[in-house]
Amino acid sequence: MRKTRQLIQWIKPNLMQFIPVLAVIMLIQVLGSLMSVATALASKNMIDYAVANELRLAAIVAGVFVLLVIGNLLMQVGVSLLSVRVTESLSNSMRQRVFHRLLGTEWQSLTAYHSGDLLTRMTSDVSNITNTIVNVIPGMFALAAQLVASFSALLYFEPYLAVFAFVLGPCSVIFSRIWGRTLKHLQIKVQESESAYRSHLQEALQNFIVIKCFGLEKHNEDSLQRLHENRMKWVIKKNKKTLAANNMIALGYWSGYMLAFGWGAYRLSQKAISFGTMTAFLQLVQQVQGPFVGLARTIPKLINMTASMERLIELEDMEREKITERVPVIQDVGIVFQDVHFDYSPGRAVLSNVTIQILPGQLVALVGSSGEGKTTLIRLLLSLIRPTSGELYFTDRNGRRYEVSATTRDWFTYVPQENTLFSGTIADNLLSGKPDATMEEMEMALRMACAADFIVKLPQGLDTVVGERGLRLSEGQAQRIAIARAFLRKAPVMIFDEATSALDVETEKHVLQAMKDMGDSRTCLIITHRLTALKICSRVLRIEDGKLVEDFEKIMLTGK
């Protein structure tokens, strides 16, 4: 019961706005169930009047019967249309909520999940939850209404049969509840295997070039097949359990139906009931047994829903980013590392006792061998990870300190080494750096990034669609657009993480000079190995054995 309350509290924020519409859906379904019972009674009277040769009354009842059937069909159409709208809206609400929480989650915690697994949870698991809420739960109320109405009618016509049908029905529900515990474990396994399958497929689609160049086509096909076989194993196991349960439930249902048929035939032979009553018997017993069967089949769906909810709750329980009080973006930002230590796991120090001060407006090169911690240092600045110990903060020209947090990311513009363009047009990608940028500002940023010349030659210019991760552009072109986007942002701190690696020497020199000419107030940090960049920087910092030290070879390279 405590677990149920926790799940209700979790879904409540998303559900509250849809309660009125869900109530309408439930009422329509309840009314439809009552009309089904009324249809059974109408069929009884129609047959009895026909047998008694009272054709006028039979015709009137037949008209009522037709109206009931048509009315029920129209209501089901209305419920279907309404359910689709609510399902889509509720699904979007839940996905927005989970997506928002993921965006505010500690980056390091988030990396424990594959993007394919996260996608499965936000699509398949969310759909499972919303379908149960919108379709299954209102249907349970409709089944309950149908049960009460049909049992009352059957009790009026044949008390013994009504009691027997009612006693036999709960056995199906109890059996289903016990069976459902096994199905919950299998549902989780099915979802996990789906996540693994989707994750592999997603990675393969993103890395076609690597697969082709290394001749890994067969290897990837075999891997996908193994994942499919694993998923198929769990799907079949779950399906077998479900079929076995459904067959047991169906057996109870047909047992009740055959009993009603035999009892009705016996009573008809004694002339104790009419043909119409016999017809009503069969329909009413069906409508007493039917809700129990429906409820029994609903319980596994509810259990599957709880499994999906627990998978989403797991995501929301991840550690949240540290958010400090939001402060306006300031200019003249300095960076201070004070005895900073960081390790990804105990005993594996990446940075150790880092103490350095970067003054406002300095253009600093960060060098070091691969794996020494350059990217880790950038992640610390961006507050994607937090120091294991020590202090990391920003300063202004007045010496005021600002703690590094998710809030201070507003102070950064960042160009990573890998391709980070989004699907859409070149203009869309530029505007992600500054949504309100004017055409003149975009053109200026493109010239500074040496991207204007090749964009002018494209048939659609800035409206050219670049595809996923800039697929239709060369690496150098995609990199220059990413640099132009960074220039547009005009943040007080700029970070280039091997951002000019795909550019030729002359283009790189132009870009770095443009960065330097943007003004003395902008603090710039460049991760690079190129002599071109080192010569234009005012300082060179080297990471070696986890230490960050001033590299005095800069004096030899530049004569400064």
Side-chain angles (χ1 to χ4, degrees):
M1 184 62 69
R2 182 180 177 185
K3 186 70 173 179
T4 302
R5 285 199 298 269
Q6 289 176 343
L7 295 176
I8 292 173
Q9 288 300 315
W10 179 82
I11 194 66
K12 187 177 177 180
N14 292 103
L15 199 57
M16 290 304 297
Q17 62 177 312
F18 297 102
I19 291 295
V21 185
L22 290 172
V24 171
I25 292 174
M26 182 190 71
L27 289 174
I28 293 175
Q29 292 194 1
V30 167
L31 184 58
S33 297
L34 297 177
M35 290 175 70
S36 296
V37 176
T39 302
L41 298 177
S43 65
K44 169 193 176 302
N45 291 325
M46 182 173 59
I47 293 174
D48 285 343
Y49 285 138
V51 170
N53 203 29
E54 297 184 23
L55 299 182
R56 186 179 66 82
L57 293 174
I60 292 173
V61 175
V64 172
F65 182 89
V66 171
L67 289 175
L68 287 171
V69 171
I70 293 175
N72 207 345
L73 289 175
L74 291 175
M75 284 194 299
Q76 293 309 312
V77 170
V79 164
S80 180
L81 293 174
L82 198 56
S83 296
V84 168
R85 182 179 291 275
V86 176
T87 298
E88 288 301 312
S89 298
L90 180 57
S91 295
N92 178 65
S93 174
M94 291 184 64
R95 289 180 185 128
Q96 289 280 5
R97 170 186 172 179
V98 176
F99 187 58
H100 174 74
R101 292 297 295 267
L102 290 180
L103 290 176
T105 298
E106 278 280 358
W107 176 81
Q108 197 167 352
S109 300
L110 200 57
T111 57
Y113 294 85
H114 193 284
S115 57
D117 180 30
L118 297 176
L119 189 61
T120 300
R121 294 178 191 234
M122 292 182 66
T123 53
S124 180
D125 283 308
V126 167
S127 295
N128 186 24
I129 294 168
T130 53
N131 179 65
T132 303
I133 290 173
V134 176
N135 298 311
V136 176
I137 294 178
M140 293 174 63
F141 286 94
L143 290 172
Q146 181 179 347
L147 175 62
V148 172
S150 56
F151 176 76
S152 300
L154 191 59
L155 190 66
Y156 174 79
F157 289 113
E158 191 63 45
Y160 292 110
L161 189 59
V163 171
F164 188 82
F166 190 83
V167 170
L168 190 63
C171 297
S172 301
V173 178
I174 295 170
F175 172 78
S176 179
R177 179 67 183 88
I178 297 171
W179 206 262
R181 295 172 184 171
T182 305
L183 289 179
K184 180 178 179 180
H185 166 73
L186 294 176
Q187 171 67 12
I188 292 174
K189 287 296 184 182
V190 167
Q191 293 298 87
E192 288 176 348
S193 62
E194 169 66 17
S195 292
Y197 182 87
R198 186 177 294 194
S199 297
H200 178 84
L201 194 59
Q202 181 176 322
E203 283 192 357
L205 292 172
Q206 290 176 341
N207 295 284
F208 265 180
I209 293 178
V210 176
I211 292 173
K212 288 178 177 293
C213 291
F214 282 83
L216 297 174
E217 292 91 345
K218 184 66 166 60
H219 170 76
N220 274 268
E221 288 176 1
D222 292 343
S223 297
L224 190 64
Q225 180 63 26
R226 285 193 297 271
L227 290 170
H228 162 72
E229 291 171 358
N230 179 60
R231 182 174 184 276
M232 181 67 77
K233 177 185 73 175
W234 291 111
V235 169
I236 289 176
K237 280 187 176 182
K238 179 189 172 185
N239 193 49
K240 285 181 177 178
K241 291 282 185 180
T242 302
L243 286 174
N246 287 343
N247 285 334
M248 290 295 293
I249 293 168
L251 181 63
Y253 168 80
W254 282 108
S255 297
Y257 188 81
M258 291 305 296
L259 175 66
F261 190 87
W263 181 257
Y266 170 72
R267 297 283 285 168
L268 193 63
S269 68
Q270 291 186 323
K271 301 186 184 300
I273 61 173
S274 66
F275 285 104
T277 304
M278 173 67 176
T279 302
F281 271 1
L282 298 180
Q283 293 183 67
L284 290 172
V285 168
Q286 182 184 28
Q287 293 188 39
V288 170
Q289 288 285 299
F292 283 117
V293 173
L295 290 171
R297 290 176 176 171
T298 294
I299 290 174
K301 295 178 181 178
L302 293 174
I303 292 173
N304 289 344
M305 181 187 71
T306 62
S308 291
M309 291 173 74
E310 288 171 6
R311 279 166 54 83
L312 294 180
I313 291 172
E314 180 184 323
L315 297 183
E316 293 197 349
D317 285 344
M318 287 190 290
E319 187 177 3
R320 301 281 289 168
E321 285 187 318
K322 184 177 182 180
I323 304 294
T324 58
E325 182 181 355
R326 185 169 295 278
V327 294
V329 177
I330 63 171
Q331 301 303 316
D332 305 326
V333 175
I335 302 169
V336 177
F337 288 83
Q338 186 67 46
D339 199 23
V340 171
H341 178 94
F342 180 81
D343 50 39
Y344 284 103
S345 58
R348 292 182 54 215
V350 180
L351 298 176
S352 179
N353 306 117
V354 173
T355 300
I356 202 82
Q357 182 175 11
I358 299 173
L359 299 177
Q362 286 189 327
L363 180 56
V364 179
L366 183 63
V367 299
S369 302
S370 178
E372 288 287 344
K374 299 186 298 297
T375 300
T376 298
L377 189 142
I378 297 303
R379 288 172 180 168
L380 286 168
L381 285 174
L382 293 171
S383 194
L384 296 174
I385 54 179
R386 283 182 276 178
T388 306
S389 63
E391 290 185 282
L392 174 57
Y393 56 89
F394 302 116
T395 61
D396 58 22
R397 290 197 181 274
N398 297 321
R400 184 180 175 185
R401 293 186 178 189
Y402 302 87
E403 184 181 0
V404 172
S405 71
T407 305
T408 55
R409 289 194 200 120
D410 291 343
W411 300 3
F412 284 88
T413 183
Y414 173 51
V415 186
Q417 181 179 7
E418 65 272 11
N419 190 327
T420 56
L421 296 187
F422 299 103
S423 298
T425 66
I426 294 174
D428 292 335
N429 277 277
L430 292 174
L431 291 172
S432 64
K434 185 181 180 185
D436 60 347
T438 64
M439 183 62 68
E440 290 75 18
E441 287 177 315
M442 287 193 286
E443 290 174 352
M444 174 62 74
L446 290 169
R447 285 196 295 271
M448 292 170 62
C450 296
D453 290 343
F454 83 81
I455 291 176
V456 169
K457 297 176 183 177
L458 297 174
Q460 284 79 40
L462 285 173
D463 294 325
T464 300
V465 177
V466 298
E468 185 180 7
R469 300 179 70 187
L471 188 62
R472 294 184 177 90
L473 302 174
S474 69
E475 283 296 317
Q477 289 172 334
Q479 202 166 63
R480 279 179 276 173
I481 291 173
I483 292 170
R485 178 176 61 192
F487 284 155
L488 265 177
R489 185 167 167 82
K490 296 181 180 178
V493 181
M494 176 175 284
I495 297 178
F496 273 28
D497 186 356
E498 297 282 7
T500 58
S501 58
L503 306 183
D504 60 76
V505 174
E506 287 302 316
T507 302
E508 179 188 44
K509 187 184 298 183
H510 178 92
V511 169
L512 294 177
Q513 189 61 50
M515 178 192 298
K516 191 171 184 178
D517 293 341
M518 291 183 75
D520 295 335
S521 64
R522 180 168 294 200
T523 304
C524 301
L525 187 59
I526 304 172
I527 296 179
T528 185
H529 296 94
R530 287 187 172 183
L531 184 61
T532 311
L534 298 182
K535 285 183 175 181
I536 205 169
C537 293
S538 53
R539 296 174 68 187
V540 176
L541 301 178
R542 179 179 295 277
I543 294 185
E544 195 168 53
D545 297 327
K547 309 289 185 181
L548 184 62
V549 297
E550 198 87 26
D551 193 333
F552 292 102
E553 291 182 8
K554 162 70 177 172
I555 298 174
M556 299 174 61
L557 290 170
T558 64
K560 296 181 181 178

